[in-house]
Amino acid sequence: MNFSEQDFIIEKLPPELPEEISFHAQAPSNIALVKYWGKKGLQLPMNTSLSFTLSESKTITKARARRLPEPSGEVDFIFYFEGKKAGEKFYRKLRTFFNRIAPYAPYIKHYQWTFESQNTFPHSSGIASSASGFAALARIVMQLEKEIFEDAGNEDFELVKTSFLARLGSGSASRSVAGPVMIWGQHREISGTSDLYAIRRDGLHTYFQDFSDLIILVDKGQKQVSSTRGHSLIDEHPFKNPRIETAQKNALAILRALETGDAETFGDILEAEALMLHALMMTSRPNYLLMRPDTLAIIETTRAIRKETGIPAYFTLDAGANVHILLPGKDKEIFQQTLFSTLKKSFDIIPDRISV
Ligand code: PMV
């Protein structure tokens, strides 16, 4: 079933809203196999993307909401991140998020909110926390919606609306609401897909059910170019249309590979997508380069280990220098040992797993 934007709008609230209420929510991080890069309209994706949901890297958020005598003009909130009041930049992002979701969740303006949030992964690791962070907030908002409207809709609607709200915070957050595989962005051959929210796909072949993501930390610093800026550079990009077409083809082909257990097709597309994302960055105007020498060394060594040992380990990259190695869980120790001994260098690794 497809939902339209209209389906998420709330026109009228009941006269009695709960007085005071506490929430606890968590949301996972995700790793895109087919990358979202480029937007249109208000946080709509230029192309279809598809991700694995992770099981260890999460954001955990608690909230307390106290009803106000009158609804406020803007959402009234305080936000603590890992015990400290969040900085002004983060506040601006949150304000934008709350303003965007207000038509679909007008009850949030009737409360004074205190949020306390933390990640299970190190703060300065260079892992984006916006996906899991906004997805956790969207879950809290939907918990309140369920309290207010007892007939708030079924589980499918709840999932889809959570994804819809999370998307308005950060595009990739739309995919951080369920697992194991999420698809965001309309696809002409995958039914149920939408630009407005991500949908869940199960039916993952057993081959992928004990699958690891070793996140190798190459650069723990701030990104030189923000994702927001990166997305905007696609508007005038000479490869914009071929990119949209390639993502359509790759999303369908990788989905089939995930369902049939075709490790080789999965790996080919995974690596091609990572390199295409970075190729788009390197060929935009202005151009920029986020890979570091160690990123390339890890990529080349991964390919060499695969060739020599047969371990089906494949890499992917986000908008940064860190490398994600996806491989069967049983191979992760031997792969890591071989990688470090070949490189004659070690890196911090965040070990994660695909959530099933
Ligand atoms: O959600 P954003 O705006 O931070 O964009 C993230 C884009 C990539 O991580 C590079 C790719 C993806 O699909 O997650």
Side-chain angles (χ1 to χ4, degrees):
M1 176 165 176
N2 272 79
F3 296 92
S4 72
E5 195 164 338
Q6 201 55 38
D7 294 322
F8 304 121
I9 292 180
I10 292 182
E11 310 263 6
K12 204 161 174 284
L13 295 173
E16 291 294 320
L17 294 175
E19 191 78 36
E20 187 165 344
I21 178 160
S22 298
F23 305 92
H24 187 276
Q26 21 175 293
S29 194
N30 71 78
I31 177 70
L33 313 181
V34 174
K35 309 290 177 181
Y36 146 59
W37 202 238
K39 326 185 190 207
K40 55 189 185 194
L42 187 62
Q43 293 280 102
L44 297 170
M46 190 190 74
N47 63 270
T48 312
S49 62
L50 182 150
S51 56
F52 267 154
T53 305
L54 299 179
S55 63
E56 307 296 324
S57 306
K58 291 183 217 166
T59 297
I60 301 169
T61 303
K62 287 195 278 186
R64 215 177 46 244
R66 221 177 268 141
R67 204 179 70 207
L68 295 162
E70 292 295 326
S72 53
E74 281 220 319
V75 176
D76 180 347
F77 71 95
I78 308 180
F79 200 98
Y80 295 94
F81 180 67
E82 300 193 335
K84 286 203 205 94
K85 197 158 173 243
E88 188 42 42
K89 200 168 148 207
F90 198 51
Y91 263 86
R92 270 204 301 278
K93 279 194 185 167
L94 290 166
R95 260 183 240 119
T96 305
F97 170 64
F98 288 129
N99 287 335
R100 284 179 183 165
I101 69 167
Y104 315 101
Y107 43 82
I108 57 175
K109 291 192 171 175
H110 288 255
Y111 289 87
Q112 184 181 49
W113 294 87
T114 308
F115 295 99
E116 282 171 57
S117 188
Q118 63 192 68
N119 293 336
T120 58
F121 47 91
H123 177 46
S124 60
S125 60
I127 298 189
S129 58
S130 60
S132 52
F134 283 111
L137 285 179
R139 282 203 169 145
I140 287 175
V141 171
M142 287 306 289
Q143 285 176 16
L144 178 55
E145 180 158 321
K146 266 177 48 186
E147 281 293 324
I148 297 173
F149 299 95
E150 274 147 24
D151 60 342
N154 60 23
E155 228 175 272
D156 282 349
F157 179 79
E158 192 185 326
L159 188 72
V160 158
K161 186 163 178 183
T162 308
S163 171
F164 174 87
L165 297 177
R167 183 201 100 227
L168 292 167
S170 153
S172 54
S174 69
R175 300 186 313 240
S176 265
V177 298
V181 172
M182 297 294 291
I183 307 173
W184 175 40
Q186 209 172 352
H187 191 289
R188 49 180 184 259
E189 285 162 85
I190 307 175
S191 69
T193 48
S194 168
D195 284 350
L196 297 174
Y197 49 83
I199 59 163
R200 169 175 54 195
R201 279 296 278 237
D202 30 32
L204 193 61
H205 190 273
T206 46
Y207 175 76
F208 293 103
Q209 292 198 358
D210 173 22
F211 225 60
S212 286
D213 178 1
L214 300 179
I215 310 168
I216 307 181
L217 305 180
V218 170
D219 186 351
K220 301 181 188 171
Q222 270 279 355
K223 281 189 248 180
Q224 303 151 18
V225 180
S226 72
S227 294
T228 311
R229 175 92 178 106
H231 286 295
S232 74
L233 294 175
I234 298 298
D235 292 342
E236 302 294 321
H237 202 290
F239 304 154
K240 177 174 169 175
N241 292 325
R243 168 62 195 150
I244 297 173
E245 257 326 287
T246 308
Q248 284 266 319
K249 286 200 188 109
N250 284 349
L252 189 62
I254 210 162
L255 186 62
R256 296 282 168 266
L258 293 173
E259 288 169 350
T260 56
D262 179 349
E264 217 168 292
T265 303
F266 162 81
D268 276 353
I269 297 174
L270 186 78
E271 296 190 346
E273 275 289 322
L275 296 179
M276 186 176 268
L277 170 70
H278 283 254
L280 288 169
M281 297 170 187
M282 288 189 260
T283 49
S284 51
R285 297 186 94 184
N287 64 62
Y288 59 108
L289 222 165
L290 298 182
M291 286 191 255
R292 309 296 313 140
D294 283 334
T295 312
L296 287 179
I298 294 167
I299 287 176
E300 290 186 331
T301 310
T302 299
R303 288 182 159 173
I305 296 174
R306 191 163 74 223
K307 202 159 163 220
E308 275 154 35
T309 66
I311 297 173
Y314 292 90
F315 69 84
T316 186
L317 307 166
D318 257 341
N322 297 337
V323 186
H324 290 245
I325 303 289
L326 298 184
L327 79 175
K330 65 177 173 46
D331 296 327
K332 65 176 192 286
E333 274 92 17
I334 180 78
F335 174 82
Q336 184 176 327
Q337 272 167 22
T338 318
L339 179 73
F340 290 173
S341 65
T342 314
L343 288 168
K344 298 189 179 58
K345 190 169 176 179
S346 62
F347 294 89
D348 287 340
I349 287 195
I350 299 184
D352 213 320
R353 284 180 300 117
I354 308 317
S355 135
V356 283

